[in-house]
Amino acid sequence: MSDILIEAVQQHRDLGVIVTENLKHDKQVEKSVRNVTPLVRPHLEYAVQLWSPTLRRDINKMGKIQRKATKLIPELRNLSYKRRLQQLELISLEQRRLRGQLIETYKYLNGLNHVTLEALFQRDNNVRTRNKS
């Protein structure tokens, strides 16, 4: 690779997605749940293929917002969350993220993204798998 030095930062925002030095998504989750408007799903799903939450607490925070939003509909308020989703013909955010990941995986495996694996990954020619000779 080139000899360009990259400045170390604690976090950086790129295309609206917050990336932290530890690569955890808690800052992005906080931003997503804080900025929710009547258009709930677009805020919770923005660029989710890039930063999809992995910690159960972050997943629960995001799901809580959708659960609250579906309760705002008076006719559905007394139904279970699962029934509210069925009535609205929606799936949970967690299922939606999984679906998106499966679609992206399919597109990569079938050459539909027009991206080569070499552009995404750098091959390590080191044949050792551990520190032992």
Side-chain angles (χ1 to χ4, degrees):
M1 309 239 3
S2 68
D3 295 329
I4 298 172
L5 294 177
I6 299 174
E7 178 186 351
V9 295
Q10 289 184 336
Q11 72 181 36
H12 180 74
R13 186 171 176 207
D14 190 14
L15 297 175
V17 177
I18 300 170
V19 180
T20 60
E21 64 184 342
N22 61 7
L23 299 178
K24 291 189 177 174
H25 306 296
D26 53 332
K27 300 280 189 215
Q28 182 64 34
V29 169
E30 288 300 322
K31 175 186 171 277
S32 295
V33 299
R34 186 177 55 243
N35 293 336
V36 172
T37 67
L39 301 173
V40 174
R41 283 187 88 135
H43 283 281
L44 297 177
E45 294 178 343
Y46 178 75
V48 77
Q49 286 81 4
L50 174 67
W51 67 270
S52 185
T54 54
L55 298 177
R56 180 54 49 193
R57 72 168 189 255
D58 293 339
I59 292 168
N60 290 342
K61 271 184 194 176
M62 294 184 66
K64 189 176 181 180
I65 299 297
Q66 180 167 287
R67 279 190 288 284
K68 283 183 178 180
T70 59
K71 279 189 172 187
L72 294 174
I73 302 167
E75 298 82 18
L76 304 179
R77 189 170 291 147
N78 295 325
L79 298 177
S80 69
Y81 176 56
K82 187 175 179 179
R83 286 290 296 143
R84 291 192 308 266
L85 289 179
Q86 288 172 346
Q87 290 291 316
L88 295 168
E89 297 180 6
L90 295 173
I91 59 175
S92 72
L93 290 171
E94 196 168 358
Q95 290 171 320
R96 192 151 157 102
R97 284 191 297 274
L98 176 60
R99 180 179 177 269
Q101 291 166 353
L102 291 172
I103 290 169
E104 288 303 311
T105 301
Y106 175 85
K107 287 163 56 175
Y108 278 110
L109 292 175
N110 291 287
L112 302 173
N113 275 350
H114 306 292
V115 175
T116 63
L117 291 178
E118 291 78 21
L120 294 174
F121 303 102
Q122 183 177 1
R123 183 180 204 108
D124 184 1
N125 292 322
N126 186 356
V127 292
R128 283 203 258 173
T129 58
R130 300 188 182 229
N131 245 353
K132 299 177 184 175
S133 302

Coordinates of all heavy atoms in Angstrom, one line a residue, residues 22-101:
N22 N -12.8 2.0 18.1 CA -13.0 0.6 18.5 C -13.9 -0.2 17.6 O -14.2 -1.3 17.9 CB -13.4 0.5 20.0 CG -14.8 1.1 20.2 OD1 -15.5 1.6 19.3 ND2 -15.2 1.2 21.5
L23 N -14.5 0.5 16.6 CA -15.4 -0.1 15.6 C -16.7 -0.6 16.2 O -17.4 -1.4 15.6 CB -14.7 -1.2 14.8 CG -13.5 -0.7 14.0 CD1 -12.8 -1.9 13.3 CD2 -13.8 0.3 13.0
K24 N -17.1 -0.1 17.4 CA -18.4 -0.5 17.9 C -19.4 0.5 17.4 O -19.0 1.6 16.9 CB -18.3 -0.4 19.5 CG -17.5 -1.6 20.0 CD -17.6 -1.7 21.5 CE -16.8 -2.8 22.0 NZ -16.8 -2.9 23.4
H25 N -20.6 0.2 17.4 CA -21.6 1.0 16.8 C -22.5 1.8 17.8 O -23.6 2.3 17.4 CB -22.5 0.1 15.9 CG -21.7 -0.7 14.9 ND1 -21.0 -0.1 13.9 CD2 -21.5 -2.0 14.8 CE1 -20.4 -1.0 13.2 NE2 -20.7 -2.2 13.7
D26 N -22.1 1.8 19.1 CA -23.0 2.5 20.1 C -23.2 4.0 19.8 O -24.3 4.4 20.0 CB -22.4 2.3 21.5 CG -21.0 2.7 21.6 OD1 -20.2 2.7 20.6 OD2 -20.6 3.1 22.7
K27 N -22.2 4.7 19.3 CA -22.4 6.1 18.9 C -23.5 6.2 17.8 O -24.3 7.1 17.8 CB -21.1 6.8 18.5 CG -20.1 6.8 19.6 CD -20.3 7.8 20.6 CE -19.1 7.9 21.5 NZ -19.4 8.2 22.9
Q28 N -23.4 5.4 16.8 CA -24.3 5.4 15.7 C -25.7 5.0 16.1 O -26.7 5.7 15.7 CB -23.9 4.4 14.5 CG -24.8 4.4 13.3 CD -24.8 5.8 12.6 OE1 -23.8 6.5 12.5 NE2 -26.0 6.1 12.1
V29 N -25.8 4.1 17.0 CA -27.1 3.7 17.6 C -27.7 4.8 18.3 O -28.9 5.2 18.1 CB -27.0 2.4 18.5 CG1 -28.3 2.2 19.3 CG2 -26.6 1.2 17.7
E30 N -26.9 5.5 19.2 CA -27.4 6.7 20.0 C -27.9 7.8 19.0 O -29.0 8.3 19.2 CB -26.3 7.2 20.9 CG -26.0 6.3 22.1 CD -27.2 6.1 23.0 OE1 -28.0 7.1 23.2 OE2 -27.4 5.0 23.5
K31 N -27.1 8.0 18.0 CA -27.5 9.0 17.0 C -28.9 8.6 16.3 O -29.8 9.5 16.1 CB -26.5 9.2 15.9 CG -26.8 10.2 14.8 CD -25.7 10.2 13.7 CE -26.1 10.9 12.5 NZ -27.0 10.1 11.6
S32 N -29.0 7.4 15.9 CA -30.2 6.9 15.2 C -31.4 7.0 16.1 O -32.5 7.4 15.6 CB -30.0 5.5 14.8 OG -29.0 5.4 13.8
V33 N -31.3 6.6 17.4 CA -32.5 6.6 18.2 C -32.8 8.0 18.7 O -34.0 8.3 19.0 CB -32.4 5.6 19.4 CG1 -32.3 4.2 18.9 CG2 -31.3 6.0 20.3
R34 N -31.9 8.9 18.8 CA -32.1 10.3 19.2 C -32.8 11.1 18.1 O -33.6 12.0 18.4 CB -30.7 10.9 19.6 CG -30.8 12.3 20.2 CD -29.5 12.8 20.7 NE -28.5 12.8 19.6 CZ -27.4 12.1 19.6 NH1 -27.1 11.3 20.6 NH2 -26.5 12.2 18.6
N35 N -32.5 10.8 16.9 CA -33.0 11.7 15.8 C -34.2 11.1 15.1 O -34.5 11.5 14.0 CB -31.9 11.8 14.7 CG -30.7 12.6 15.2 OD1 -30.8 13.4 16.2 ND2 -29.5 12.4 14.7
V36 N -35.0 10.3 15.8 CA -36.1 9.7 15.2 C -37.3 10.7 15.1 O -37.5 11.5 16.0 CB -36.6 8.5 16.1 CG1 -38.0 8.0 15.5 CG2 -35.6 7.4 16.0
T37 N -37.9 10.7 13.9 CA -39.0 11.6 13.6 C -40.2 10.7 13.2 O -40.1 9.5 13.3 CB -38.6 12.5 12.4 OG1 -38.4 11.7 11.2 CG2 -37.3 13.3 12.6
P38 N -41.2 11.3 12.7 CA -42.3 10.4 12.2 C -41.9 9.4 11.2 O -42.5 8.4 11.0 CB -43.3 11.4 11.7 CG -43.1 12.6 12.4 CD -41.6 12.7 12.7
L39 N -40.8 9.6 10.5 CA -40.3 8.7 9.5 C -39.3 7.8 10.2 O -38.1 8.0 10.1 CB -39.7 9.4 8.3 CG -40.6 10.3 7.5 CD1 -39.8 11.1 6.5 CD2 -41.7 9.5 6.9
V40 N -39.8 6.9 11.0 CA -38.9 6.1 11.9 C -37.9 5.2 11.2 O -36.7 5.3 11.4 CB -39.8 5.3 12.9 CG1 -38.9 4.3 13.8 CG2 -40.6 6.2 13.8
R41 N -38.4 4.3 10.4 CA -37.6 3.3 9.8 C -36.4 3.9 9.0 O -35.3 3.4 9.1 CB -38.4 2.4 8.9 CG -39.1 1.4 9.8 CD -39.8 0.3 9.0 NE -38.9 -0.8 8.8 CZ -39.3 -2.0 9.0 NH1 -40.5 -2.3 9.3 NH2 -38.5 -3.0 8.7
P42 N -36.6 5.0 8.2 CA -35.4 5.5 7.4 C -34.3 5.9 8.4 O -33.1 5.7 8.0 CB -36.0 6.7 6.7 CG -37.4 6.4 6.5 CD -37.8 5.6 7.7
H43 N -34.6 6.4 9.5 CA -33.5 6.8 10.5 C -32.9 5.6 11.1 O -31.6 5.6 11.3 CB -34.1 7.7 11.6 CG -34.3 9.1 11.1 ND1 -33.3 10.0 11.0 CD2 -35.5 9.7 10.8 CE1 -33.8 11.2 10.6 NE2 -35.1 11.0 10.4
L44 N -33.6 4.6 11.4 CA -33.1 3.4 12.1 C -32.3 2.5 11.1 O -31.5 1.7 11.5 CB -34.2 2.6 12.7 CG -34.9 3.4 13.9 CD1 -36.0 2.5 14.4 CD2 -33.9 3.8 15.0
E45 N -32.6 2.7 9.8 CA -32.0 1.8 8.8 C -31.0 2.4 7.9 O -30.4 1.8 7.1 CB -33.1 1.2 7.9 CG -34.0 0.3 8.7 CD -35.1 -0.3 7.8 OE1 -35.4 0.3 6.7 OE2 -35.7 -1.3 8.2
Y46 N -30.7 3.7 8.1 CA -29.7 4.4 7.3 C -28.4 3.7 7.2 O -27.7 3.6 8.3 CB -29.6 5.9 7.7 CG -28.6 6.6 6.8 CD1 -28.9 7.0 5.6 CD2 -27.3 6.9 7.3 CE1 -28.0 7.7 4.7 CE2 -26.4 7.5 6.5 CZ -26.8 7.9 5.2 OH -25.8 8.6 4.4
A47 N -27.9 3.3 6.1 CA -26.6 2.6 5.9 C -26.4 1.5 6.8 O -25.3 1.2 7.2 CB -25.5 3.7 6.0
V48 N -27.4 0.8 7.2 CA -27.3 -0.3 8.2 C -26.4 -1.4 7.7 O -25.9 -2.1 8.5 CB -28.7 -0.7 8.7 CG1 -29.4 -1.6 7.7 CG2 -28.6 -1.4 10.0
Q49 N -26.3 -1.6 6.4 CA -25.4 -2.7 5.9 C -24.0 -2.4 6.3 O -23.2 -3.3 6.5 CB -25.5 -2.9 4.4 CG -26.7 -3.5 3.9 CD -27.9 -2.6 3.8 OE1 -27.8 -1.4 4.0 NE2 -29.1 -3.1 3.5
L50 N -23.6 -1.2 6.5 CA -22.3 -0.8 6.9 C -22.1 -0.9 8.4 O -21.1 -1.3 8.9 CB -22.0 0.7 6.4 CG -20.7 1.3 6.9 CD1 -19.5 0.5 6.3 CD2 -20.6 2.7 6.6
W51 N -23.0 -0.5 9.2 CA -22.8 -0.3 10.6 C -23.8 -1.2 11.5 O -23.9 -1.0 12.7 CB -22.9 1.1 11.1 CG -24.3 1.7 11.0 CD1 -24.8 2.3 9.9 CD2 -25.3 1.6 11.9 NE1 -26.1 2.7 10.1 CE2 -26.5 2.3 11.4 CE3 -25.4 1.1 13.2 CZ2 -27.7 2.4 12.1 CZ3 -26.6 1.3 13.9 CH2 -27.7 1.9 13.3
S52 N -24.4 -2.2 10.9 CA -25.4 -3.0 11.6 C -25.0 -3.3 13.1 O -23.9 -3.8 13.3 CB -25.6 -4.3 10.9 OG -26.6 -5.0 11.5
P53 N -25.8 -3.0 14.0 CA -25.5 -3.2 15.5 C -25.3 -4.7 15.8 O -26.0 -5.5 15.2 CB -26.7 -2.6 16.2 CG -27.8 -2.6 15.3 CD -27.2 -2.5 13.9
T54 N -24.3 -5.0 16.6 CA -24.1 -6.4 16.9 C -24.3 -6.7 18.4 O -24.5 -7.8 18.8 CB -22.6 -6.8 16.6 OG1 -21.7 -5.8 17.2 CG2 -22.4 -6.7 15.1
L55 N -24.2 -5.7 19.2 CA -24.5 -5.9 20.7 C -26.0 -5.9 21.0 O -26.7 -5.1 20.4 CB -23.8 -4.7 21.5 CG -22.3 -4.6 21.4 CD1 -21.8 -3.4 22.1 CD2 -21.6 -5.9 21.8
R56 N -26.4 -6.8 21.8 CA -27.8 -7.0 22.1 C -28.4 -5.7 22.7 O -29.5 -5.4 22.3 CB -27.9 -8.2 23.2 CG -29.3 -8.5 23.6 CD -30.4 -8.8 22.5 NE -30.0 -9.7 21.5 CZ -30.7 -9.9 20.4 NH1 -31.7 -9.2 20.1 NH2 -30.3 -10.8 19.5
R57 N -27.7 -5.0 23.5 CA -28.2 -3.7 24.0 C -28.5 -2.7 22.9 O -29.5 -2.0 23.0 CB -27.3 -3.1 25.1 CG -26.1 -2.5 24.6 CD -25.3 -1.7 25.6 NE -24.3 -1.0 25.0 CZ -23.0 -1.3 25.2 NH1 -22.6 -2.3 25.9 NH2 -22.1 -0.6 24.5
D58 N -27.7 -2.6 21.9 CA -27.9 -1.7 20.8 C -29.1 -2.2 19.9 O -29.9 -1.4 19.5 CB -26.6 -1.6 19.9 CG -25.5 -0.9 20.7 OD1 -25.8 -0.1 21.7 OD2 -24.4 -1.0 20.3
I59 N -29.2 -3.5 19.7 CA -30.3 -4.0 18.9 C -31.6 -3.8 19.6 O -32.6 -3.3 19.0 CB -30.1 -5.6 18.7 CG1 -28.9 -5.8 17.8 CG2 -31.3 -6.2 18.2 CD1 -28.4 -7.2 17.7
N60 N -31.6 -3.9 21.0 CA -32.8 -3.7 21.7 C -33.2 -2.2 21.7 O -34.4 -1.9 21.7 CB -32.6 -4.2 23.2 CG -32.6 -5.7 23.3 OD1 -33.0 -6.4 22.3 ND2 -32.0 -6.2 24.3
K61 N -32.2 -1.3 21.8 CA -32.5 0.1 21.8 C -33.2 0.5 20.5 O -34.2 1.2 20.5 CB -31.2 0.9 21.9 CG -30.8 1.3 23.2 CD -29.5 2.2 23.2 CE -28.8 2.3 24.5 NZ -27.6 3.1 24.4
M62 N -32.7 0.0 19.4 CA -33.3 0.3 18.1 C -34.7 -0.3 17.9 O -35.6 0.3 17.4 CB -32.4 -0.1 17.0 CG -31.1 0.7 17.0 SD -30.0 0.3 15.6 CE -31.0 0.9 14.3
G63 N -34.8 -1.6 18.4 CA -36.1 -2.2 18.3 C -37.2 -1.5 19.2 O -38.4 -1.5 18.8
K64 N -36.7 -1.0 20.3 CA -37.6 -0.3 21.2 C -38.3 0.9 20.5 O -39.5 1.2 20.7 CB -36.9 0.2 22.4 CG -37.7 0.7 23.6 CD -36.8 1.0 24.7 CE -37.5 1.6 25.9 NZ -36.6 1.9 27.0
I65 N -37.6 1.6 19.7 CA -38.1 2.8 19.0 C -39.2 2.3 18.0 O -40.3 2.9 18.0 CB -37.0 3.5 18.2 CG1 -35.9 4.0 19.1 CG2 -37.6 4.6 17.3 CD1 -36.4 5.1 20.1
Q66 N -39.0 1.2 17.3 CA -40.0 0.8 16.4 C -41.2 0.3 17.2 O -42.4 0.5 16.8 CB -39.5 -0.3 15.5 CG -40.6 -0.9 14.5 CD -40.1 -1.7 13.4 OE1 -39.5 -1.2 12.5 NE2 -40.3 -3.0 13.5
R67 N -41.0 -0.4 18.3 CA -42.1 -0.9 19.1 C -43.0 0.3 19.6 O -44.2 0.2 19.5 CB -41.6 -1.7 20.3 CG -41.3 -3.1 20.0 CD -41.0 -4.0 21.2 NE -39.8 -3.7 21.9 CZ -38.6 -4.1 21.4 NH1 -38.5 -4.8 20.3 NH2 -37.5 -3.8 22.1
K68 N -42.3 1.4 20.0 CA -43.1 2.6 20.5 C -43.8 3.2 19.3 O -45.0 3.6 19.5 CB -42.1 3.6 21.1 CG -41.7 3.3 22.5 CD -40.8 4.4 23.0 CE -40.3 4.1 24.4 NZ -39.5 5.2 24.9
A69 N -43.2 3.3 18.2 CA -43.8 3.9 17.0 C -45.1 3.1 16.6 O -46.1 3.7 16.2 CB -42.8 4.0 15.8
T70 N -45.0 1.8 16.6 CA -46.2 1.0 16.2 C -47.4 1.2 17.2 O -48.5 1.0 16.9 CB -45.9 -0.5 16.0 OG1 -45.4 -1.0 17.2 CG2 -44.9 -0.7 14.9
K71 N -47.0 1.5 18.5 CA -48.1 1.8 19.5 C -48.8 3.1 19.3 O -49.8 3.3 19.9 CB -47.5 1.7 20.9 CG -47.3 0.3 21.4 CD -46.9 0.3 22.9 CE -46.9 -1.1 23.4 NZ -46.8 -1.1 24.8
L72 N -48.2 4.0 18.5 CA -48.9 5.3 18.2 C -50.1 5.2 17.4 O -50.9 6.1 17.4 CB -47.9 6.2 17.5 CG -46.6 6.6 18.4 CD1 -45.7 7.4 17.5 CD2 -47.1 7.4 19.6
I73 N -50.4 4.0 16.8 CA -51.6 3.8 16.0 C -52.7 3.3 17.0 O -52.6 2.2 17.5 CB -51.3 2.8 14.9 CG1 -50.1 3.3 14.0 CG2 -52.6 2.6 14.1 CD1 -49.6 2.3 13.1
P74 N -53.7 4.1 17.2 CA -54.7 3.8 18.2 C -55.3 2.4 18.1 O -55.5 1.7 19.0 CB -55.7 4.9 18.1 CG -55.0 6.0 17.4 CD -53.9 5.4 16.6
E75 N -55.6 2.0 16.8 CA -56.3 0.7 16.6 C -55.4 -0.5 17.0 O -55.9 -1.6 17.2 CB -56.7 0.6 15.1 CG -57.7 1.6 14.7 CD -57.1 2.9 14.3 OE1 -55.8 3.0 14.0 OE2 -57.8 3.9 14.2
L76 N -54.1 -0.3 17.0 CA -53.1 -1.4 17.2 C -52.5 -1.3 18.6 O -51.8 -2.2 19.0 CB -52.0 -1.3 16.2 CG -52.4 -1.3 14.7 CD1 -51.2 -1.2 13.8 CD2 -53.3 -2.6 14.4
R77 N -52.8 -0.3 19.3 CA -52.1 0.0 20.6 C -52.2 -1.2 21.6 O -51.2 -1.5 22.3 CB -52.7 1.2 21.3 CG -52.0 1.7 22.5 CD -52.5 3.0 23.0 NE -52.1 4.0 22.0 CZ -52.8 5.1 21.7 NH1 -53.9 5.3 22.3 NH2 -52.4 5.9 20.8
N78 N -53.3 -2.0 21.6 CA -53.5 -3.0 22.6 C -53.0 -4.4 22.1 O -53.1 -5.4 22.8 CB -54.9 -3.1 23.1 CG -55.3 -1.9 23.8 OD1 -54.5 -1.3 24.5 ND2 -56.5 -1.4 23.6
L79 N -52.5 -4.4 20.9 CA -52.0 -5.7 20.3 C -50.6 -5.9 20.7 O -49.8 -5.0 21.1 CB -52.1 -5.7 18.8 CG -53.5 -5.5 18.2 CD1 -53.4 -5.5 16.7 CD2 -54.4 -6.7 18.6
S80 N -50.1 -7.2 20.6 CA -48.7 -7.5 20.9 C -47.9 -6.9 19.8 O -48.4 -6.6 18.7 CB -48.5 -9.0 21.0 OG -48.7 -9.6 19.7
Y81 N -46.6 -6.7 20.0 CA -45.7 -6.2 19.0 C -45.7 -7.0 17.7 O -45.8 -6.5 16.6 CB -44.3 -6.1 19.6 CG -43.2 -5.6 18.6 CD1 -43.4 -4.4 17.9 CD2 -42.1 -6.4 18.3 CE1 -42.4 -4.0 17.0 CE2 -41.1 -5.9 17.4 CZ -41.3 -4.7 16.8 OH -40.4 -4.3 15.9
K82 N -45.7 -8.3 17.9 CA -45.7 -9.2 16.7 C -47.0 -9.0 15.9 O -47.0 -9.0 14.7 CB -45.6 -10.7 17.2 CG -45.5 -11.7 16.1 CD -45.3 -13.1 16.7 CE -45.1 -14.1 15.6 NZ -44.9 -15.4 16.1
R83 N -48.1 -8.9 16.6 CA -49.4 -8.7 15.9 C -49.4 -7.3 15.2 O -50.0 -7.2 14.1 CB -50.6 -8.8 16.9 CG -50.9 -10.2 17.3 CD -51.5 -11.1 16.2 NE -52.8 -10.5 15.7 CZ -53.2 -10.6 14.5 NH1 -52.5 -11.1 13.5 NH2 -54.4 -10.1 14.2
R84 N -48.9 -6.3 15.9 CA -48.8 -5.0 15.3 C -48.0 -5.0 14.0 O -48.4 -4.4 13.0 CB -48.2 -3.9 16.2 CG -49.1 -3.6 17.4 CD -48.7 -2.4 18.2 NE -47.3 -2.4 18.6 CZ -46.9 -2.8 19.8 NH1 -47.7 -3.3 20.7 NH2 -45.6 -2.8 20.1
L85 N -46.9 -5.7 14.0 CA -46.1 -5.8 12.8 C -46.8 -6.6 11.7 O -46.8 -6.2 10.5 CB -44.8 -6.6 13.1 CG -43.7 -5.8 13.9 CD1 -42.5 -6.7 14.2 CD2 -43.3 -4.5 13.3
Q86 N -47.6 -7.6 12.1 CA -48.4 -8.3 11.1 C -49.4 -7.5 10.5 O -49.6 -7.5 9.2 CB -49.0 -9.6 11.7 CG -48.0 -10.7 12.0 CD -48.7 -11.8 12.8 OE1 -49.8 -11.7 13.4 NE2 -48.0 -12.9 12.9
Q87 N -50.1 -6.7 11.3 CA -51.2 -5.8 10.8 C -50.6 -4.7 9.9 O -51.3 -4.3 8.9 CB -51.9 -5.1 12.0 CG -52.8 -6.1 12.8 CD -54.0 -6.6 12.1 OE1 -54.7 -5.8 11.4 NE2 -54.2 -7.8 12.1
L88 N -49.4 -4.3 10.2 CA -48.8 -3.2 9.3 C -48.0 -3.8 8.2 O -47.4 -3.1 7.4 CB -47.9 -2.4 10.2 CG -48.6 -1.6 11.3 CD1 -47.6 -1.0 12.3 CD2 -49.4 -0.5 10.7
E89 N -48.0 -5.2 8.1 CA -47.2 -5.9 7.1 C -45.7 -5.5 7.1 O -45.1 -5.2 6.1 CB -47.8 -5.6 5.7 CG -49.2 -6.2 5.6 CD -49.9 -6.0 4.2 OE1 -49.2 -5.5 3.3 OE2 -51.0 -6.3 4.1
L90 N -45.2 -5.4 8.3 CA -43.8 -5.1 8.5 C -43.1 -6.3 9.1 O -43.7 -7.2 9.7 CB -43.6 -3.9 9.5 CG -44.2 -2.6 9.0 CD1 -44.1 -1.6 10.2 CD2 -43.4 -2.1 7.8
I91 N -41.7 -6.3 9.1 CA -40.9 -7.3 9.8 C -40.1 -6.5 10.8 O -40.0 -5.3 10.7 CB -40.1 -8.1 8.9 CG1 -39.1 -7.2 8.1 CG2 -40.9 -9.0 8.0 CD1 -38.1 -8.0 7.2
S92 N -39.6 -7.2 11.8 CA -38.8 -6.5 12.8 C -37.5 -5.9 12.2 O -37.1 -6.4 11.1 CB -38.4 -7.4 13.9 OG -37.4 -8.4 13.5
L93 N -36.9 -4.9 12.8 CA -35.7 -4.3 12.3 C -34.6 -5.4 12.2 O -33.8 -5.4 11.3 CB -35.2 -3.2 13.2 CG -36.1 -1.9 13.1 CD1 -35.7 -0.9 14.2 CD2 -36.1 -1.3 11.8
E94 N -34.5 -6.2 13.2 CA -33.5 -7.3 13.2 C -33.6 -8.2 12.0 O -32.7 -8.5 11.3 CB -33.6 -8.1 14.5 CG -32.3 -8.9 14.8 CD -32.3 -9.4 16.2 OE1 -33.2 -9.1 17.0 OE2 -31.4 -10.1 16.5
Q95 N -34.9 -8.6 11.7 CA -35.1 -9.4 10.5 C -34.8 -8.7 9.3 O -34.3 -9.2 8.3 CB -36.6 -9.9 10.5 CG -36.9 -10.9 11.6 CD -38.4 -11.2 11.7 OE1 -39.2 -10.3 11.5 NE2 -38.7 -12.4 11.8
R96 N -35.1 -7.4 9.3 CA -34.8 -6.6 8.1 C -33.3 -6.4 7.8 O -32.9 -6.5 6.7 CB -35.5 -5.2 8.2 CG -35.5 -4.4 7.0 CD -36.7 -3.5 7.0 NE -36.5 -2.4 6.1 CZ -37.1 -2.3 4.9 NH1 -37.9 -3.3 4.5 NH2 -36.8 -1.3 4.1
R97 N -32.6 -6.3 8.9 CA -31.1 -6.2 8.7 C -30.6 -7.5 8.2 O -29.7 -7.5 7.3 CB -30.4 -5.8 10.1 CG -30.6 -4.4 10.4 CD -29.7 -4.0 11.6 NE -30.0 -4.8 12.8 CZ -30.9 -4.4 13.7 NH1 -31.6 -3.2 13.5 NH2 -31.2 -5.1 14.7
L98 N -31.0 -8.6 8.7 CA -30.6 -9.9 8.3 C -30.9 -10.1 6.8 O -30.1 -10.6 6.0 CB -31.2 -11.1 9.1 CG -30.9 -12.5 8.6 CD1 -29.4 -12.8 8.7 CD2 -31.7 -13.5 9.5
R99 N -32.1 -9.7 6.4 CA -32.6 -9.8 5.0 C -31.6 -9.0 4.1 O -31.2 -9.5 3.1 CB -34.0 -9.4 4.9 CG -34.6 -9.4 3.5 CD -36.0 -8.9 3.5 NE -36.6 -8.9 2.2 CZ -36.5 -7.8 1.4 NH1 -36.0 -6.7 1.8 NH2 -37.0 -7.8 0.1
G100 N -31.3 -7.8 4.5 CA -30.4 -6.9 3.8 C -29.0 -7.5 3.6 O -28.4 -7.5 2.6
Q101 N -28.5 -8.2 4.7 CA -27.2 -8.8 4.7 C -27.2 -10.0 3.7 O -26.3 -10.2 3.0 CB -26.8 -9.2 6.1 CG -26.5 -8.1 7.0 CD -26.4 -8.5 8.4 OE1 -26.7 -9.6 8.8 NE2 -26.0 -7.6 9.3

